[in-house]
Structures are given as structure tokens and as C-alpha cells.
Amino acid sequence: MNHLLDIKDLTKKDILNICTLAQKIKLGLVNFDLSDIKICNIFNEPSTRTFMSFKVAQQNLNMPSFDLISQMSSLTKGETLFDCVEVMKSYNIKNFVIRDKNNFFYQELLKIADINIINAGDGINQHPTQALLNIFTLLEHFNFDLKGKNFLFVGDLIHSRVFKSDLEILKHFGGNYYSCCPRNLVDSSEIVKPVSKVSDVINEIDVCCAYRLQYERHEQNYNFSNFNQLFGLNKNNLKNAKKEFVFMHPGPVNYGIEIAAELKNAPQSLILKQVENGMYIRMAILAIINKKVVL
Ligand code: CP
């Protein structure tokens, strides 16, 4: 594996191997030294979790790590991402973690030989490392057994690259899928059954995956004043949830919208586990694409 671009490029075996490696790293059973490999992070969209967890992962692996500050770079003068990466390659940087507003930004970059690209989010298309850390968090929580689980997806599904990547991964593990969101935010998929209110289905759900309303990608200002009551999680609808019910969110959360503020520290929340596991998944990916371990 030279790149990580799209979850569809991974088999179930690959996904399980990546999660198992992340778990071994987390438990301190394996460690890698990548001090001979330079890496550059190029984030052309804002980020806290993905950027910082990659930075910490790179430091944990002793990688010389460089950040291209997009707003201060020649990208603002019209230089292409392709030319930018070629410049970095001339400095002997071969690893790139890139987030960009354009879907499939990486396609052109694949013409450049001898580099490794990790997609840190492309437009509304994919966010593969986030989906890997999400499935790792779930596998860890449910003792690596997701058979027959019922999933509910809420939030801005149509604009969420995380939702699309999550669904690609979850398909490998079976289960039943429901979605609940306003009509203008639906991302239709034959395997996901839409429901009109969270309360209609909450008593059957094992895992709710919530996704941020991405106002910055909306073409008009929608009125979301009743969103949480109908389509979000709150203490009231959780009264009917199963004892084992848990919820996730890739962050950042719009508290009061996808998830009520009263649930911020709820025992059912896996959100901070997701954040923590992001670092271990990203260490595992960096070790794999640099051939320090074979999948
Ligand atoms: N989940 C996620 O991608 O968060 P950031 O935008 O903070 O990186």
C-alpha cells in the first residue's frame, strides 16, 4: 500500500489488520522508527483533530514533519497542488498528508512517482483515516464483534465525507442501517433505511453516528431550529435507548444541533475515544505506507 486515498481500496482483511496494528501500538506492544522519512502536511481546509493527531503520530514515530501553511504559501498565488508537491519532493519529502476542498484532489498527484499520499479529507467525498479510527473505536468497544448491530446515521449526510467512508467500511461488517435527517441533507443509499424521527427507531439502535451540519457547504441558509428535537440526540430520546447504546461523532460537534449539550459528558459517548484512537490509527497507517510492516 503506497497511498491511502479511498476506503473502497481496502479489503475487510486490510481494515482489520490496520485496526489490530493500531491496537498493538496503543498497548505499547510495537513501535516504529521512521526518522529517515520526511513528511509534509498540507491542509487547504481547517482542521483540529486530523491535523493534530497526524502531527503527534509523526512525532511519536520520530518523523521529520513539515507543515505547508496554505494561506502563506504560493497556492494563494495560483500555484497548483501538483506543482507544490513537486517542489516538496525536490526537498526529499516523499510522504504527504493532504486535505483539500476538491473531491479526488489526489488523482493528478498520482502522476508523481515515488511519493505516498494520505487523503486527510477530499471535499465531500472521503475521509478514510477518520473512518478507520471510527471502526477501530467500535471494534474496540464491542470486542471486535459487530455482527447484527443496528446503526443510525444522523446529521448532514449529503455533505459528510466521513459518513460516506463510514458506510463503505461498515458494509464489510454487516448490520442494519437507518438514517434520520432533513430531506435536503439525505444521502441516498439502497442499504440505508430512512426514518422520519430519531424517536421512531432509537429503541432498536446499538450505535448512532452523528455528523456535523456543514454550514460552510450549504448553498442557502436553512432553518434548523427544530433539528435536535427531530433529528438529533438528546436526553429525552435517549430514555428509550438500549442499555448498550453508544454514540459517535467525528467532530467538531455543533452542540445543541446534532447532539444536545446535556449529552456532552454522557457515558454513552465514544467521541473522546475516537479522538484518542485517531493518533494510533494514523501511526499505523504511516508505518504501513512506509513498509515498516506488511499488511
Ligand atoms: N473529524 C475531523 O476531520 O475533524 P477536524 O476537521 O478537526 O480534523
Side-chain angles (χ1 to χ4, degrees):
M1 186 166 116
N2 293 326
H3 310 288
L4 177 58
L5 304 174
D6 189 320
I7 283 297
K8 291 194 265 309
D9 299 332
L10 301 178
T11 64
K12 181 176 181 182
K13 189 164 167 258
D14 294 335
I15 293 161
L16 285 171
N17 285 343
I18 292 167
C19 291
T20 304
L21 181 60
Q23 193 177 46
K24 282 186 186 160
I25 295 171
K26 186 172 179 175
L27 294 172
L29 301 176
V30 284
N31 205 358
F32 299 97
D33 180 21
L34 278 71
S35 53
D36 53 335
I37 299 161
K38 295 191 185 83
I39 188 160
C40 181
N41 304 297
I42 304 176
F43 278 66
N44 297 328
E45 280 190 339
S47 169
T48 296
R49 293 150 198 78
T50 313
F51 177 76
M52 285 307 297
S53 60
F54 265 114
K55 287 297 290 182
V56 178
Q58 290 157 14
Q59 189 175 53
N60 290 348
L61 297 168
N62 301 319
M63 298 185 85
S65 163
F66 305 89
D67 308 320
L68 186 81
I69 312 299
S70 299
Q71 300 89 333
M72 294 294 289
S73 77
S74 290
L75 290 167
T76 60
K77 302 176 201 165
E79 184 166 55
T80 63
L81 195 51
F82 184 95
D83 289 346
C84 174
V85 169
E86 280 207 315
V87 169
M88 300 301 145
K89 197 184 159 193
S90 308
Y91 304 137
N92 203 24
I93 298 173
K94 302 276 178 66
N95 273 209
F96 295 90
V97 176
I98 306 178
R99 170 174 287 190
D100 197 88
K101 68 178 188 313
N102 293 313
N103 296 356
F104 307 106
F105 69 81
Y106 47 80
Q107 273 174 347
E108 190 67 12
L109 304 181
L110 295 175
K111 295 176 187 159
I112 304 173
D114 300 326
I115 60 166
N116 306 116
I117 306 166
I118 300 175
N119 177 4
D122 63 313
I124 60 166
N125 183 42
Q126 285 273 313
H127 194 344
T129 61
Q130 178 72 44
L132 285 165
L133 76 88
N134 291 346
I135 198 74
F136 174 45
T137 304
L138 280 174
L139 289 168
E140 193 180 44
H141 184 80
F142 290 109
N143 257 330
F144 276 71
D145 182 9
L146 299 181
K147 218 180 305 155
K149 297 277 183 251
N150 293 328
F151 291 85
L152 173 65
F153 306 111
V154 303
D156 195 345
L157 305 188
I158 196 161
H159 297 106
S160 177
R161 53 197 175 203
V162 182
F163 166 66
K164 285 156 200 148
S165 295
D166 278 348
L167 196 55
E168 286 300 331
I169 281 204
L170 287 169
K171 278 181 197 169
H172 290 291
F173 293 87
N176 303 299
Y177 312 110
Y178 301 90
S179 67
C180 183
C181 65
R183 213 169 291 187
N184 47 352
L185 302 183
V186 169
D187 185 69
S188 50
S189 161
E190 278 169 22
I191 62 165
V192 180
K193 187 176 170 205
V195 297
S196 48
K197 299 197 296 297
V198 166
S199 54
D200 289 348
V201 74
I202 192 75
N203 61 334
E204 295 176 35
I205 299 302
D206 297 288
V207 181
C208 176
C209 304
Y211 303 93
R212 182 175 69 88
L213 293 198
Q214 300 193 24
Y215 301 108
E216 72 277 20
R217 299 193 205 271
H218 294 174
E219 281 168 12
Q220 60 187 91
N221 290 329
Y222 300 114
N223 179 0
F224 292 124
S225 51
N226 284 335
F227 189 94
N228 183 262
Q229 213 181 335
L230 295 173
F231 309 115
L233 292 181
N234 50 59
K235 264 194 177 159
N236 199 36
N237 57 28
L238 255 55
K239 277 185 197 151
N240 297 319
K242 289 180 176 181
K243 194 160 58 67
E244 303 78 16
F245 172 85
V246 288
F247 65 87
M248 310 177 80
H249 193 304
V253 181
N254 291 311
Y255 281 106
I257 307 285
E258 305 96 55
I259 297 172
E262 65 208 12
L263 295 180
K264 202 166 192 173
N265 300 312
Q268 298 96 331
S269 172
L270 296 182
I271 295 173
L272 286 178
K273 278 266 170 266
Q274 292 172 266
V275 172
E276 182 193 357
N277 285 339
M279 181 174 65
Y280 299 113
I281 279 290
R282 286 161 179 142
M283 287 173 75
I285 295 296
L286 289 167
I288 291 164
I289 68 164
N290 287 297
K291 313 280 185 282
K292 297 290 176 183
V293 60
V294 182
L295 259 192

